[in-house]
Amino acid sequence: MLLRAGVGTVLFAGLAVLASAQAPQTADVYAITHAKIFTLTGSPIEDATVVIRGGKIVSVGATAEVPAGAQVIDGKGLQVYPGLFDSVTQMGLREIGAVGATVDETETGDFNPDVVAATAVLPSSEHITVTRAAGITEVLAVPASGGMDSFGSSGFIGGQASAIHMAGWTINDMLIKKSAAMVINWPSIETRSFDFSTFSVKEKPYTEAKTEYEKKVNELTDWIERARHYVQAMGHAGPADYNRDVRLESLAPVVRGQLPVLVFADQERDIRNAVEFCDKQKLKMILAGGLEAFKVKDLLRSKNVPVILRPVLTEVGEEDDPYDRYLSQPAELAKAGVKFGFASFDNSFARRLGQNAANAVAHGLPYDEALKAVTIYPAQIFGLSDEIGTLETGKVANLIVTNGDPLELTTDVRYLFIRGQVTSMENKQSRLYQKYNSRPKAQ
């Protein structure tokens, strides 16, 4: 029996050693060595190392040591950057715009503050895999935000935008912040509208259009005031003393100043009106769209209102506008001291986020500002900079390893890390390329 026990002990010890050698305890430990690292907290570091453990960066720099058992990626000749952040998309909310069953980006009605984008995000969306292959590691999924093939946005208070990682089996795997901003589509004084029943443009008097506009603003004011009263009731009474209203409850963080409002507005007059409204109501405002933000840059700076810009290749609005009006706007905003980020406002072309920033560089925007406008600035604007946006110890390891500048069209992403894991860049487009590239040649 003692002999058997001894053999069993030796056998158990041997199996333990074998299990230890095969165990995945170091599967989530990576070291990218000999790479040029752009931390975005200072100058690039030559011949440096990034060490990742448990989904986070544990060390970065020229003297960072490679832990025993780490999976090593030789980064010689390569560059490491924070992953890119697309801060207005419909990612996971809309698959094919022309197929209604695949679209879940808006709710019926004009006031839906209780709607949360995360509850509708489809983790298996083909748009996600295509987009992350371009180096985009996180996005903001924004309800009621329009898009290229959805013919504009709908809803006045559209709901709550969610910040998500671009990988995960479920939304809980993907979630960075469930509620990152409350969406408001600011009304305009519209004297012209398109009648789809007659396919013609209809005109209305300015006074009538202004009356409609004022009615909408008054409705929004009423919602904000009711939310304030609701918050007071929540703070001074028990649940049985008031009727619960989930929509007013959803606006509570907004009126408390805990949740910013992402206000969609493009024209100068609308931007001014929105800034004035938010200032009066003491709401923390982020401007989305901002095609004419350059006209109110001093106001935006003075009120500390950041901007999420539409793609710079958007067609100019007026015949007399210079062709590069929106291409040169980022440089003007940067010079004026207005913080901004770039966004695709779409799914289909989200993968071109980096080149969108690069086009602004070609029209006067400093390169460092362009890179920050797709990484750290959006993270700061939405209160996520403690987790993402730069390569620093303790931050989530969302990063890309490239063979060049991530803003250049010709650059390839060699490795993609999301939450500290090497993430596949295979997608529908790459599968189709491989399929047709390997087809038999004609005889």
Side-chain angles (χ1 to χ4, degrees):
M1 291 179 65
L2 289 174
L3 177 62
R4 288 177 183 175
V7 171
T9 301
V10 172
L11 179 61
F12 179 80
L15 290 174
V17 171
L18 180 61
S20 176
Q22 295 178 343
Q25 73 263 23
T26 58
D28 63 346
V29 181
Y30 298 90
I32 306 167
T33 62
H34 304 299
K36 184 176 183 179
I37 299 176
F38 292 75
T39 64
L40 299 194
T41 60
S43 301
I45 310 172
E46 299 282 355
D47 194 18
T49 296
V50 179
V51 179
I52 300 167
R53 179 186 288 115
K56 294 192 174 183
I57 298 170
V58 295
S59 61
V60 55
T63 59
E65 296 185 0
V66 178
Q71 301 182 56
V72 178
I73 295 174
D74 185 1
K76 187 174 182 179
L78 302 178
Q79 301 172 5
V80 183
Y81 296 86
L84 307 188
F85 186 170
D86 192 341
S87 41
V88 175
T89 73
Q90 300 83 45
M91 202 65 62
L93 303 178
R94 190 180 77 242
E95 199 69 5
I96 304 172
V99 181
T102 70
V103 178
D104 197 11
E105 62 175 331
T106 58
E107 289 290 340
T108 58
D110 288 334
F111 298 93
N112 298 292
D114 55 319
V115 168
V116 181
T119 60
V121 167
L122 176 68
S124 60
S125 169
E126 291 287 356
H127 289 292
I128 291 175
T129 56
V130 172
T131 301
R132 74 185 181 206
I136 297 171
T137 56
E138 57 267 338
V139 303
L140 206 68
V142 184
S145 58
M148 183 189 71
D149 53 359
S150 62
F151 305 104
S153 57
S154 62
F156 196 177
I157 301 181
Q160 301 167 47
S162 302
I164 59 173
H165 297 291
M166 291 292 277
W169 284 100
T170 68
I171 186 58
N172 289 333
D173 295 334
M174 302 171 70
L175 208 56
I176 302 174
K177 192 173 185 179
K178 186 175 181 180
S179 298
M182 183 68 72
V183 176
I184 294 178
N185 288 295
W186 192 259
S188 294
I189 301 176
E190 297 286 352
T191 58
R192 306 180 72 190
S193 61
F194 188 79
D195 187 347
F196 282 95
S197 63
T198 61
F199 279 86
S200 61
V201 176
K202 298 182 68 174
E203 299 277 355
K204 69 174 64 173
Y206 175 81
T207 53
E208 181 181 338
K210 187 177 180 182
T211 299
E212 292 178 357
Y213 164 81
E214 290 173 346
K215 179 181 177 182
K216 291 181 179 179
V217 174
N218 288 336
E219 286 180 320
L220 180 58
T221 303
D222 182 60
W223 275 92
I224 297 299
E225 291 300 326
R226 287 166 56 199
R228 284 203 172 91
H229 294 152
Y230 189 84
V231 167
Q232 291 176 349
M234 291 172 64
H236 296 90
D241 297 326
Y242 63 92
N243 294 323
R244 187 183 182 195
D245 188 318
V246 293
R247 292 191 291 179
L248 295 179
E249 195 170 301
S250 299
L251 285 171
V254 174
V255 298
R256 288 175 180 149
Q258 301 166 338
L259 184 67
V261 288
L262 183 63
V263 181
F264 283 73
D266 283 310
Q267 306 307 311
E268 176 187 5
R269 178 172 58 191
D270 296 335
I271 297 172
R272 288 187 181 278
N273 289 340
V275 171
E276 180 183 356
F277 177 87
C278 291
D279 187 48
K280 181 178 179 180
Q281 295 292 339
K282 295 180 172 49
L283 306 181
K284 188 183 299 181
M285 176 179 168
I286 301 168
L287 174 63
L291 290 179
E292 293 187 351
F294 64 94
K295 294 182 178 179
V296 291
K297 56 182 182 289
D298 293 333
L299 173 65
L300 295 173
R301 183 191 64 247
S302 66
K303 298 299 182 181
N304 196 28
V305 176
V307 186
I308 304 299
L309 291 171
R310 292 188 185 276
V312 296
L313 291 178
T314 300
E315 183 180 4
V316 296
E318 302 294 336
E319 292 181 356
D320 294 334
D321 286 342
Y323 78 93
D324 62 349
R325 176 64 274 170
Y326 302 139
L327 287 158
S328 60
Q329 174 172 234
E332 290 185 52
L333 295 180
K335 187 176 180 180
V338 177
K339 181 169 288 187
F340 64 88
F342 292 106
S344 65
F345 284 70
D346 192 54
N347 285 349
S348 301
F349 294 100
R351 64 188 185 277
R352 293 290 171 246
L353 178 67
Q355 291 78 58
N356 186 38
N359 283 324
V361 173
H363 288 77
L365 179 66
Y367 174 81
D368 289 347
E369 288 295 297
L371 186 57
K372 290 177 180 179
V374 290
T375 51
I376 182 59
Y377 286 167
Q380 290 173 346
I381 289 170
F382 290 101
L384 305 172
S385 57
D386 288 342
E387 298 182 61
I388 57 175
T390 58
L391 301 183
E392 297 180 82
T393 300
K395 288 197 172 182
V396 176
N398 282 4
L399 56 87
I400 53 177
V401 183
T402 73
N403 64 354
D405 181 355
L407 305 189
E408 289 290 343
L409 186 62
T410 54
T411 295
D412 294 325
V413 177
R414 297 293 179 84
Y415 299 94
L416 176 75
F417 283 81
I418 297 179
R419 291 180 296 125
Q421 296 296 320
V422 176
T423 303
S424 171
M425 289 180 285
E426 182 187 13
N427 57 74
K428 182 177 181 180
Q429 306 301 331
S430 64
R431 291 193 297 271
L432 288 173
Y433 173 81
Q434 294 295 334
K435 175 181 178 179
Y436 288 102
N437 191 50
S438 60
R439 66 180 180 178
K441 306 298 182 182
Q443 298 296 328

